[in-house]
Amino acid sequence: MSVSALSPTRLPGSLSGLLQAAALLGLLLLLLKAAQLYRRRQWLLRALQQFPCPPSHWLLGHSGEFQNDQELERIQKWVEKFPSACSLWLSGNEGRLLLYDPDYLKVILGRSDPKSPRNYKLMTPWIGYGLLLLDGQTWFQHRRMLTPAFHYDILKPYVGLMVDSVQIMLDRWEQLISQDSSLEIFQHVSLMTLDTIMKCAFSYQGSVQLDRNSQSYIQAINDLNNLVFSRARNVFHQSDFLYRLSPVGRLFHRACQLAHEHTDRVIKQRKAQLQQEGELEKVSRKRRLDFLDVLLFAKMENGSSLSDQDLRAEVDTFMFEGHDTTASGISWIFYALATHPEHQHRCREEIQGLLGDGASITWEHLDQMPYTTMCIKEALRLYPPVPSITRQLSTPVTFPDGRSLPKGIILLLSIYGLHYNPKVWQNPEVFDPSRFAPDSAHHSHAFLPFSGGSRNCIGKQFAMRELKVAVALTLLRFELLPDPTRVPIPIARIVLKSKNGIHLRLRKLH
């Protein structure tokens, strides 16, 4: 009797053959991937050979150098040892060039290279493709659309709103401080800057500093800062699918939800306000529109020009950038003044001479505090709110010293390294406001707290005004003192943070 080809006696052999074929195919795919990685590593080694670097592991790169949040310390040492730039390996086949020379940065920021997709794509579930992440013609269109929202005529009335937000924060500090205790200020400053951006750019009425939902948003932004930064440096978290399955991936998803709930609520409230009788007519009579109204009216005039997705992306982007970077700047400025009482005293004298008790402060006042401005700039040099930015070369580049790079290389522009470069700033670790005296001169790209070139920070004038208002009003009411038991440790994130918070002792002035 013949045996069927599908009979049980034939199955083991067939299954064994299938398993062998699958194993062979898997091995071939693995060898192909290994060959691709090897070819990429060899290409990177050739491309970066003109730029020496510290010894790196063939598989892990320099990742061991950055354990325990030591990245900023390592960069300072590399800046001293390697002129202008050095290679940085995040893994065996993830190499990039770290730049910290003003001539190098001037070349790159004068070009139109896109931001590195590998780094910034990790932020897209959070802030979408707004002004920060867009490139090319779409970026240019959005930038041109939003620029009028930062015109001087728009910014001048914001000073009064900034004053209100700062005074609410200072009133809370008076209630919280005691004789010998210190206060962690970063959370308070973050709520204040969020309050300010909500009132100024999003026509929000009321104060978010007493709102629990706003505190949840602040915590979500802090979590997202940490999660995006750590994911960028973890080779096992690059796959979106695997990351979503991991505990940190689920935490990231929840934090994004919280952030989006906040911005959706802001958009919904403003849309509802515009439906009220007379509100639309009042807005239409404005010579210039606020940030959110620019976005909403661009959509209303031409439904296809700005989708709901584009609208939310711009709001998410500016909500984050407009409060978190400024909060970092203000908090570190307060710390710098607390640790340099002689400069704090001189700033206070200047502000008292200009404002008296500070009952009224105007746009014009903010241009009449030169020494305070010098101290603010020096603090921003020591503690740049955004420690680094990236670009990916769209065409080859040759630097002023003759060294060159091919298309496709990722560049890490270290603002922190630039500001601590001893060839640019003498004794860079010293707080010396005279570097920014009116008669001082330095390279056009030696000081970049707001980046540079065509993609510089669109809100830098808004930010500088807010920094001055916060410093002026705080110094009129409090003496800032350091807490020697809790010295802040700067750590690199998307925005410069402190590993252990920023604790200060506050002494009420009479």
Side-chain angles (χ1 to χ4, degrees):
M1 183 182 291
S2 64
V3 181
S4 168
L6 296 178
S7 67
T9 57
R10 295 287 301 272
L11 281 175
S14 301
L15 184 60
S16 175
L18 285 173
L19 289 175
Q20 289 178 0
L24 184 60
L25 180 60
L27 181 59
L28 288 173
L29 291 174
L30 187 63
L31 290 173
L32 179 61
K33 185 63 177 177
Q36 289 176 337
L37 294 175
Y38 177 78
R39 287 181 61 190
R40 174 169 174 76
R41 176 171 172 79
Q42 293 305 307
W43 177 75
L44 285 168
L45 287 169
R46 288 193 299 272
L48 298 172
Q49 64 182 344
Q50 299 178 68
F51 300 92
C53 68
S56 64
H57 189 274
W58 68 271
L59 178 62
L60 303 177
H62 291 113
S63 57
E65 299 270 355
F66 299 145
Q67 292 178 355
N68 302 317
D69 287 312
Q70 295 180 323
E71 180 168 336
L72 297 178
E73 295 176 30
R74 290 289 184 266
I75 287 175
Q76 280 184 256
K77 292 179 179 178
W78 292 359
V79 167
E80 294 179 11
K81 187 173 182 180
F82 303 102
S84 304
C86 71
S87 304
L88 172 64
W89 294 84
L90 299 183
S91 65
N93 69 323
E94 283 294 338
R96 56 202 57 196
L97 188 67
L98 183 71
L99 310 181
Y100 35 78
D101 178 88
D103 288 323
Y104 273 50
L105 269 71
K106 184 176 181 179
V107 169
I108 299 303
L109 293 174
R111 291 162 49 105
S112 57
D113 299 299
K115 298 195 172 186
S116 166
R118 182 188 178 281
N119 288 74
Y120 286 97
K121 79 177 180 69
L122 304 181
M123 298 178 68
T124 52
W126 166 18
I127 60 174
Y129 283 97
L131 206 58
L132 179 64
L133 302 190
L134 285 172
D135 281 306
Q137 187 62 26
T138 309
W139 170 84
F140 178 77
Q141 291 170 353
H142 281 230
R143 176 88 179 203
R144 184 173 57 185
M145 175 183 68
L146 292 171
T147 295
F150 298 92
H151 190 276
Y152 285 114
D153 291 345
I154 289 289
L155 298 182
K156 284 182 180 180
Y158 288 169
V159 172
L161 299 174
M162 293 174 181
V163 170
D164 290 343
S165 295
V166 174
Q167 296 290 23
I168 291 171
M169 179 186 73
L170 299 179
D171 290 343
R172 293 186 71 199
W173 284 4
E174 280 199 29
Q175 298 169 4
L176 292 171
I177 61 172
S178 60
Q179 187 67 28
D180 298 315
S181 66
S182 66
L183 190 68
E184 200 293 305
I185 65 166
F186 197 96
Q187 284 289 104
H188 293 270
V189 175
S190 293
L191 278 170
M192 181 273 290
T193 56
L194 179 63
D195 193 19
T196 299
I197 203 69
M198 291 277 284
K199 291 173 180 174
C200 294
F202 300 106
S203 303
Y204 186 81
Q205 297 172 356
S207 174
V208 304
Q209 296 189 60
L210 307 175
D211 183 359
R212 286 186 178 180
N213 288 328
S214 298
Q215 294 177 12
S216 299
Y217 173 76
I218 294 289
Q219 184 58 51
I221 295 301
N222 186 58
D223 290 341
L224 289 166
N225 252 300
N226 290 325
L227 290 166
V228 170
F229 187 85
S230 61
R231 184 185 177 190
R233 281 155 174 73
N234 189 325
V235 68
F236 302 108
H237 284 164
Q238 299 312 302
S239 165
D240 291 339
F241 175 74
L242 294 178
Y243 187 68
R244 280 194 295 267
L245 296 177
S246 68
V248 288
R250 291 192 291 271
L251 178 61
F252 176 79
H253 177 70
R254 178 58 184 151
C256 285
Q257 283 185 319
L258 288 171
H260 294 161
E261 287 170 6
H262 177 82
T263 51
D264 286 342
R265 191 161 52 246
V266 169
I267 295 169
K268 184 179 179 181
Q269 287 176 355
R270 185 54 180 161
K271 283 183 175 180
Q273 288 174 357
L274 291 174
Q275 298 304 315
Q276 296 173 7
E277 185 178 353
E279 183 67 20
L280 196 60
E281 182 182 349
K282 184 171 69 176
V283 172
S284 65
R285 287 199 303 266
K286 283 185 178 181
R287 185 180 169 196
R288 299 184 186 277
L289 300 178
D290 295 343
F291 177 85
L292 181 53
D293 288 344
V294 166
L295 295 171
L296 290 172
F297 276 78
K299 185 186 175 189
M300 289 174 184
E301 292 169 6
N302 180 357
S304 63
S305 65
L306 204 63
S307 67
D308 287 341
Q309 186 178 10
D310 289 339
L311 171 63
R312 218 262 296 268
E314 292 296 359
V315 173
D316 277 324
T317 297
F318 196 67
M319 188 78 73
F320 157 58
E321 286 200 303
H323 96 271
D324 205 34
T325 55
T326 315
S328 174
I330 292 171
S331 299
W332 286 110
I333 290 167
F334 285 169
Y335 173 70
L337 292 174
T339 51
H340 298 88
E342 68 281 13
H343 296 296
Q344 180 185 164
H345 178 70
R346 189 168 168 183
C347 288
R348 184 177 293 108
E349 285 187 332
E350 178 181 71
I351 295 163
Q352 287 174 335
L354 179 66
L355 302 177
D357 61 0
S360 63
I361 181 170
T362 66
W363 176 272
E364 287 71 26
H365 285 140
L366 301 179
D367 289 324
Q368 299 173 39
M369 41 182 77
Y371 195 77
T372 303
T373 302
M374 289 161 55
C375 289
I376 288 173
K377 288 183 176 180
E378 176 64 350
L380 291 176
R381 183 190 68 81
L382 286 169
Y383 307 105
V386 180
S388 64
I389 56 178
T390 70
R391 294 288 187 270
Q392 185 166 21
L393 293 178
S394 56
T395 58
V397 66
T398 300
F399 294 107
D401 59 7
R403 293 189 286 184
S404 60
L405 289 170
K407 171 185 174 180
I409 290 293
I410 295 175
L411 307 174
L412 187 64
L413 284 62
S414 177
I415 309 300
Y416 191 88
L418 170 73
H419 288 181
Y420 279 85
N421 190 335
K423 293 182 173 61
V424 181
W425 303 100
Q426 188 175 10
N427 300 319
E429 71 287 348
V430 174
F431 183 83
D432 180 8
S434 67
R435 304 180 202 271
F436 296 97
D439 59 348
S440 62
H442 46 72
H443 194 290
S444 62
H445 285 64
F447 177 63
L448 297 174
F450 303 106
S451 187
S454 61
R455 295 200 66 142
N456 68 345
C457 174
I458 193 173
K460 66 178 182 178
Q461 291 297 335
F462 177 95
M464 275 302 293
R465 260 51 190 185
E466 188 175 2
L467 296 180
K468 290 181 181 182
V469 169
V471 170
L473 295 180
T474 301
L475 293 187
L476 287 176
R477 290 178 65 174
F478 293 100
E479 179 183 1
L480 306 175
L481 303 162
D483 180 350
T485 65
R486 287 182 280 195
V487 177
I489 304 169
I491 55 174
R493 294 293 183 266
I494 300 170
V495 173
L496 187 72
K497 297 295 175 80
S498 169
K499 187 174 184 177
N500 54 341
I502 300 179
H503 295 82
L504 297 180
R505 292 187 296 125
L506 306 173
R507 183 175 295 160
K508 180 76 172 69
L509 297 173
H510 299 288

